[in-house]
Amino acid sequence: MKKVNVALVGLGFGGFFSAIYQKHPNVGRLVLFDTDKVREENLCQKLGITERAESFEAILEDPDIDAVHLVTPFTLHEEQSVAVLNSGKHCACTVPMGLTLEGIRRIVQAQKASGKNYMMMETTLYTYPFFYAKGMLDAGEFGTIQFLRGYHYQDMAKWPDYWTGLPPMYYATHAIAPISVMAGARIQSVRCEGSGRMNPDTQKYYGNPYPVESAILEFENGLKGEVTRSLFETAREYVEGFDVYGSKKTFQWGFRDHDKPYVTTLLPPREGDRGGRCETEVVSLPDFSGSLPQSIRKFAVSGGDFDPLNPHKSWNKELGAGHHGAHPHLVHEFISSIVEERKPWIDEQRGANITAAGICAHQSAMEGGERVTIPEF
């Protein structure tokens, strides 16, 4: 069985992934690194891991390390992803891919030059609700898809300074990714409006005045989708959700992140009545762990016993085992793509289109809602 030696960089949120790599049947060495050495030491002791890197540079220089998973601040993603690929190693990176179009282009060029895999670790494409809706799509249950909606409401007050005042669409991949897959086509343009006004102190980092941004995405096949994102000073319960409106059925996320979704079926009108009628069902979702290797299935199941320092407190019965069970699927896809010598599903092209759509959306908002074409990479 082929083994992949992995370095995991960034152990705050990254701590969730450590035990999954440790238990994956195709992972050999697992090397941990964090600039916070207390955090690094605590996690190593918790999991009984002995291999720790002295620096990020040491990881790049280690010829025995095959792949690097970056779970670092998004301000570092562009430079670090390029460095990993240029060192001849496969790269997985948490979202977003980058904060600039030029940075995204550099990552794509580095991937092409190195021939190594790049995977954007987008959680929403491996959640229980996404798997369920994708199953409906594949079975043709939606009929003709008429419209799509994605939304991510979250208050980031008191998070690290690099978050303060971030343009909402710069971190909109959780809302954009699901509907881009459901549309089945590349995002080609966007029009976006900003709304509201933030405290001047919140604006000073990025010069962004908007706490909320809402965009209309246009896909190459003619479909449209609406995406709304809020980051600060907006009273709304947290949710990373999406809706798919079809001619036969519609899938809608619940109001809050842990609410069960709704599936609505359009029925023919009764004799003598005007218009169709609908039946709506509240859906209980399976955990979709059966596609994973046995040794890591428990990490997709809510109420599990794994809690390596519990960085985001999302390992619970309501939210599932980390972003609705997404974490082990992300790890398995990244490792499997290397072992099978193929591109990962969320490769540099898909990641670039999803991330660039958000960057261009903010550009549109700052230009009064002008249409902006998404560049091809």
Side-chain angles (χ1 to χ4, degrees):
M1 182 181 291
K2 184 174 180 178
K3 298 285 186 177
V4 179
N5 297 329
V6 178
L8 181 61
V9 179
L11 305 176
F13 172 45
F16 271 127
F17 296 93
S18 52
I20 304 172
Y21 280 112
Q22 188 183 37
K23 299 292 186 183
H24 195 285
N26 290 107
V27 172
R29 291 175 60 199
L30 175 60
V31 181
L32 301 185
F33 174 72
D34 197 290
T35 55
D36 184 336
K37 294 304 174 183
V38 173
R39 174 189 287 161
E40 181 182 276
E41 174 66 25
N42 289 342
L43 187 59
C44 285
Q45 288 187 4
K46 180 87 174 180
L47 298 177
I49 294 174
T50 58
E51 289 209 66
R52 298 156 61 179
E54 293 182 0
S55 65
F56 178 61
E57 291 70 25
I59 290 171
L60 301 182
E61 294 168 2
D62 187 339
D64 195 42
I65 293 176
D66 304 304
V68 180
H69 182 174
L70 300 170
V71 198
T72 53
F74 57 74
T75 52
L76 303 176
H77 290 178
E78 294 175 7
E79 293 299 327
Q80 290 185 337
S81 295
V82 169
V84 169
L85 292 166
N86 285 346
S87 72
K89 304 182 192 306
H90 303 283
C91 179
C93 185
T94 189
V95 299
M97 190 173 179
L99 296 180
T100 66
L101 298 179
E102 179 55 32
I104 293 172
R105 193 175 303 281
R106 289 177 59 217
I107 294 170
V108 172
Q109 291 171 344
Q111 185 283 322
K112 183 177 181 180
S114 69
K116 298 299 181 179
N117 282 1
Y118 172 87
M119 179 173 172
M120 188 176 79
M121 304 294 265
E122 175 50 64
T123 55
T124 56
L125 296 184
Y126 289 95
T127 62
Y128 305 164
F130 178 81
F131 281 137
Y132 190 89
K134 184 64 163 58
M136 292 179 63
L137 178 70
D138 294 343
E141 293 183 43
F142 290 116
T144 301
I145 292 181
Q146 310 289 25
F147 189 64
L148 298 150
R149 176 171 284 121
Y151 36 89
H152 181 182
Y153 305 107
Q154 185 173 9
D155 189 273
M156 310 300 285
K158 296 188 177 180
W159 280 54
D161 283 347
Y162 57 82
W163 285 96
T164 304
L166 184 74
M169 286 294 171
Y170 276 19
Y171 203 85
T173 66
H174 294 330
I176 296 172
I179 67 171
S180 72
V181 173
M182 292 294 163
R186 178 182 168 275
I187 308 164
Q188 69 175 9
S189 68
V190 60
R191 288 174 288 118
C192 182
E193 295 280 0
S195 183
R197 186 66 57 173
M198 288 193 298
N199 184 299
D201 287 341
T202 310
Q203 299 180 36
K204 63 185 179 182
Y205 289 90
Y206 295 94
N208 163 51
Y210 302 123
V212 181
E213 290 180 327
S214 189
I216 297 294
L217 306 179
E218 182 177 357
F219 299 93
E220 286 184 332
N221 61 3
L223 269 174
K224 304 293 195 303
E226 184 265 330
V227 169
T228 300
R229 179 74 170 95
S230 68
L231 272 167
F232 295 97
E233 301 174 21
T234 305
R236 173 59 164 90
E237 283 248 22
Y238 164 66
V239 65
E240 298 173 13
F242 67 94
D243 302 336
V244 183
Y245 298 85
S247 61
K248 294 181 179 179
K249 288 187 178 182
T250 287
F251 174 94
Q252 291 177 285
W253 200 287
F255 178 75
R256 296 167 297 181
D257 201 61
H258 59 265
D259 288 346
K260 294 178 180 179
Y262 301 87
V263 172
T264 299
T265 302
L266 181 64
L267 303 174
R270 294 185 178 91
E271 187 175 351
D273 289 350
R274 294 181 179 181
R277 53 197 173 93
C278 293
E279 287 184 351
T280 299
E281 175 188 6
V282 179
V283 178
S284 295
L285 302 175
D287 60 44
F288 294 97
S289 63
S291 63
L292 296 167
Q294 185 67 45
S295 60
I296 63 170
R297 287 181 185 177
K298 70 175 183 177
F299 299 113
V301 180
S302 61
D305 59 358
F306 170 65
D307 183 18
L309 311 183
N310 200 11
H312 276 54
K313 299 181 180 179
S314 62
W315 189 269
N316 57 53
K317 292 179 180 179
E318 289 183 331
L319 290 179
H323 287 96
H324 301 271
H327 299 168
H329 290 281
L330 288 165
V331 169
H332 184 54
E333 172 62 11
F334 181 49
I335 296 300
S336 296
S337 71
I338 297 170
V339 171
E340 297 167 10
E341 299 181 356
R342 59 170 175 82
K343 279 184 174 291
W345 186 48
I346 316 172
D347 64 4
E348 73 286 348
Q349 291 296 325
R350 190 185 296 275
N353 187 235
I354 292 167
T355 305
I359 295 172
C360 292
H362 178 63
Q363 177 187 337
S364 172
M366 297 299 285
E367 295 174 357
E370 290 294 317
R371 181 179 181 271
V372 177
T373 299
I374 314 300
E376 295 189 48
F377 300 92

